[in-house]
């Protein structure tokens, strides 16, 4: 936000970002294009792009003057490529819900332009025209961290309607932060997939020449257009190099790095498939096949109970927090226990004992599931006496399921079933989120 | 061509001087700025770069040309010399204050006008010389002069 004097000067001069302005103060005289204000920097400073391309910050002190020299041209027209359908190519529906792949930033005005027309996207990534005929949907655009079950419901319906409309596959582009929650939610919400649903995005934004967006998108569209996979998967870089992408199962994926291209890893699972730089698909593990649309059409089941919490057990945790969730009307809790699924249950510090609080919550009908903060491996209530006690109380041990997946699954179960049914189904596989065998090559993949 | 001919066509020329600073770290990360060649090679990364509209809003023609050549680049990563910031896998850290403390006195010595607020920005280069496909650059000061032979 600008300081008041700047805001006034801009208003009275009819000046906005992208206009050519002349700034004069005692100290300096600067002419150039006014750049958009970002959150970084002082509110009493204007950013001006000089003729040489460099940006400078000028302080709007007392006596400073700002004049309009020339109005800018506004957001430029973005070039469009030919987007005629090509015979013989499969139809892929691209659902944009955020992230930088489907948008362009205009640096002069700071405006974000969504590339809604296939031609606009094809201009940016012309290779896509050789892979599929694209149909583009943009139900909303959201910062991935803001996503909630409301948006998942919309996307699930959008996917079902895309298959209903004859799409061979669906690609969803979004920001990466909550991508694995989204992939898990869609895995439970969608039944009888008639084709692959591939979620992709970029760890390095698409406004840089080195962005991973382009290769990720090409690989995702290729998988959606040609593979016979009937699952939700996340398609991102396999390594830091631009030579291979990896499809990770939606209920097994986790963002394991804040910024690297290869942040998304399968946990307790192997990648479903790889796509190399020549866009050749190589299947790597067992997967569910797409359902023939003559047999069944894809349906969405989007009811969802948001009042489910994810809590992590750690030293010094105050178990009264559990009572708080109970008082707030929560219907489910997933615990990320330590190790095999442990919580402080035998400490001599009475105020740190969890047992009575868990019991109280379950008496109120709250379903409680146990996962592990180790992420890798399986919880097991039979190894230690204490874990047997926790399990005997009624806490459901969730096998090798990821905590975030368990959170989404319990919310979905409670939205569609009675608490008793939800409790019974929580440790039972429905979307490949649980396996009864753990193989040796599924660790640190 | 005599010197007057240049004057008659209004020719002017400037020089651009590049100087690496002997700071303890690089400008936007904590790697050593020294090119020692002593660090062990710990990996290689292969990348492709494409032309995108830079902060100037246009796709650079030379950048487009580089992309049409479909080149890919292999970067060698050395212990101590290259971190995730260098290989474009992590956003930049705070700018080195040590570097700024060198730049500011130089600006003053040449009577330059230091800008009120520094604006780090990207300058696109897709010739492969930088894994991020841009250089991160900051204008610190403008104008000023140096006296040479009394002029």
């Amino acid at each position: 936000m600008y300081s008041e004097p700047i805001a006034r000067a801009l208003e009275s001069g009819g000046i906005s970002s992208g206009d050519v302005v002349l700034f004069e103060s005692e100290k300096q005289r600067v002419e150039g294009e006014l750049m958009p204000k970002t959150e970084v920097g002082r509110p009493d400073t204007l950013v001006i792009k000089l003729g040489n391309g460099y940006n400078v910050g000028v302080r709007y002190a007392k006596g400073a003057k700002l004049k309009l020299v020339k109005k800018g041209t506004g957001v430029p027209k973005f070039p469009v490529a030919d987007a005629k359908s090509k015979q013989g190519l499969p139809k892929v529906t691209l659902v944009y819900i955020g992230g930088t792949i489907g948008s362009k930033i205009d640096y002069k005005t700071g405006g974000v332009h969504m590339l809604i027309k296939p031609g606009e996207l094809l201009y940016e990534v012309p290779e896509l025209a050789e892979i599929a005929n694209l149909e583009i949907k943009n139900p909303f655009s959201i910062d991935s961290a803001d996503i909630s079950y409301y948006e998942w419901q919309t996307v699930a319906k959008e996917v079902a309607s895309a298959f209903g409309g004859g799409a061979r596959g669906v690609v969803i582009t979004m920001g990466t932060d909550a991508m694995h929650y989204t992939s898990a939610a869609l895995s439970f919400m969608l039944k009888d997939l008639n084709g692959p649903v591939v979620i992709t995005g970029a760890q390095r934004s698409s406004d840089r020449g080195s962005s991973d967006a382009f290769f990720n998108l090409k690989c995702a569209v290729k998988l959606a257009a040609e593979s016979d996979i009937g699952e939700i998967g996340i398609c991102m870089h396999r390594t830091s190099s631009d030579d291979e992408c990896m499809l990770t199962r939606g209920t097994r994926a986790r963002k394991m790095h804040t910024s690297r291209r290869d942040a998304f890893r399968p946990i307790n699972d192997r990648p479903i498939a790889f796509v190399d730089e020549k866009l050749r698909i190589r299947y790597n593990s067992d997967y569910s096949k797409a359902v023939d649309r003559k047999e069944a059409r894809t349906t969405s089941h989007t009811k969802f109970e948001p009042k489910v919490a994810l809590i992590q057990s750690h030293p010094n945790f105050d178990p009264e927090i559990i009572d708080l969730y109970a008082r707030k009307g929560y219907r489910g809790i997933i615990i990320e226990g330590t190790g095999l699924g442990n919580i402080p249950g035998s400490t001599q510090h009475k105020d740190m004992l969890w047992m009575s609080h868990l019991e109280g919550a379950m008496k109120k009908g709250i379903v409680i599931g146990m996962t592990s903060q180790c992420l890798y491996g399986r919880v097991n209530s039979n190894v230690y006496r204490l874990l047997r006690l926790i399990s005997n109380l009624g806490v459901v041990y969730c096998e090798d399921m990821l905590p975030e997946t368990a959170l989404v699954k319990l919310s979905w179960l409670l939205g569609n079933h009675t608490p008793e049914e939800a409790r019974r189904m929580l440790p039972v596989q429905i979307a490949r989120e649980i396996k009864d065998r753990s193989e040796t090559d599924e660790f640190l993949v | 061509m005599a010197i007057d001919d240049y004057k008659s066509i209004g020719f002017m020329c400037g020089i651009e001087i590049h100087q690496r600073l002997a700071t303890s770290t690089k400008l936007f990360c904590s790697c050593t700025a020294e090119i020692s060649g002593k660090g062990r090679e710990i990996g290689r990364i292969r990348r492709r770069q494409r032309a995108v509209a830079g902060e100037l809003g246009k796709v650079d023609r030379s950048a487009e040309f580089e992309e049409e050549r479909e080149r890919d680049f292999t970067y060698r990563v050395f212990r101590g010399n290259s971190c995730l910031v260098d290989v474009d896998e992590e956003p930049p850290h705070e700018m080195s204050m040590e570097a700024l403390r060198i730049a500011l006195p130089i600006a003053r010595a040449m009577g330059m006008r230091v800008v009120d607020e520094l604006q780090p920005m990207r300058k696109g280069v897709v010739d492969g010389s930088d894994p991020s496909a841009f250089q991160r650059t900051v204008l610190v000061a403008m104008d000023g002069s140096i006296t040479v032979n009394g002029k």
Side-chain angles (χ1 to χ4, degrees), chain B residues 5-76:
Chain B
D5 295 339
Y6 291 108
K7 276 186 186 163
S8 70
I9 59 168
F11 180 79
M12 282 172 73
C13 142
I15 53 167
E16 188 171 306
I17 301 167
H18 290 246
Q19 176 62 53
R20 286 183 60 234
L21 303 180
T23 47
S24 58
T25 68
K26 293 186 187 178
L27 190 53
F28 288 105
C29 69
S30 304
C31 286
T32 172
E34 210 177 303
I35 305 176
S36 63
K38 287 178 204 149
R40 187 167 64 84
E41 185 175 332
I42 54 170
R44 292 185 184 205
I45 293 172
R46 252 184 82 220
R47 295 273 170 74
R48 260 164 211 278
Q49 295 186 347
R50 46 201 296 151
V52 293
E55 286 191 28
L56 295 167
K58 291 179 198 125
V59 174
D60 180 11
R61 294 309 302 177
S62 66
E64 263 184 349
F65 175 72
E66 289 291 343
E67 191 195 349
E68 276 158 21
R69 281 155 62 186
E70 276 281 316
R71 281 168 63 189
D72 58 72
F73 306 98
T74 300
Y75 300 98
R76 299 168 68 193

Side-chain angles (χ1 to χ4, degrees), chain B residues 70-107:
Chain B
E70 276 281 316
R71 281 168 63 189
D72 58 72
F73 306 98
T74 300
Y75 300 98
R76 299 168 68 193
V77 182
F78 296 93
R79 178 82 67 216
N81 285 91
S82 355
C83 69
L84 288 186
V85 176
D86 291 287
V87 299
D88 189 39
E89 288 283 35
E90 184 181 315
H93 298 184
E94 284 283 309
M95 197 192 309
S96 159
M97 286 301 120
E98 195 187 349
L100 201 56
R101 275 195 287 266
I102 296 171
L104 288 172
I106 292 172

Side-chain angles (χ1 to χ4, degrees), chain A residues 237-242 260-262, chain B residues 45-47 89:
Chain A
H237 272 51
R238 183 186 188 183
T239 67
S240 187
S241 293
D242 286 327
R260 283 179 65 128
R261 289 160 171 76
D262 50 358
Chain B
I45 293 172
R46 252 184 82 220
R47 295 273 170 74
E89 288 283 35

Side-chain angles (χ1 to χ4, degrees), chain A residues 347-367:
Chain A
T347 164
Q348 55 177 322
H349 311 294
K350 296 268 179 284
D351 56 337
M352 290 184 188
L353 275 173
W354 284 48
M355 299 309 200
S356 61
H357 301 276
L358 292 177
E359 221 170 351
M362 282 185 287
K363 269 190 192 143
K364 285 192 169 177
I366 298 176
V367 179

Side-chain angles (χ1 to χ4, degrees), chain A residues 155-224:
Chain A
V155 176
K157 288 172 191 159
E158 199 75 71
V159 171
S161 108
F163 284 122
R168 167 75 176 67
V170 177
V171 171
I172 299 166
T173 69
M174 62 179 295
T176 54
D177 278 6
M179 194 182 261
H180 53 294
Y181 290 91
T182 304
S183 63
L186 294 177
S187 301
F188 295 113
M189 286 181 171
L190 289 160
K191 293 278 169 287
D192 297 321
L193 286 175
N194 296 136
V197 177
V198 187
I199 306 180
T200 192
Q203 284 284 83
R204 316 305 296 148
S205 64
S206 62
D207 58 357
R208 57 172 74 198
S210 61
S211 174
D212 52 332
F214 312 106
F215 187 49
N216 288 347
L217 186 59
K218 282 191 281 183
C219 293
V221 171
K222 181 74 172 183
L223 283 163

Side-chain angles (χ1 to χ4, degrees), chain A residues 380-394:
Chain A
N380 190 320
S381 61
N382 297 317
V383 183
Y384 301 113
R385 183 182 156 269
L386 178 65
L387 274 56
R388 282 194 293 275
L389 289 177
I390 300 165
S391 172
N392 288 344
L393 279 181

Side-chain angles (χ1 to χ4, degrees), chain A residues 425-442:
Chain A
M425 289 165 79
L426 186 58
V428 179
Q429 186 276 129
I430 39 180
R432 289 186 175 251
E433 75 284 14
I434 288 171
K435 276 192 300 184
D436 49 14
R437 286 181 66 243
S438 303
E439 298 200 71
T440 54
D441 57 353
E442 293 168 349

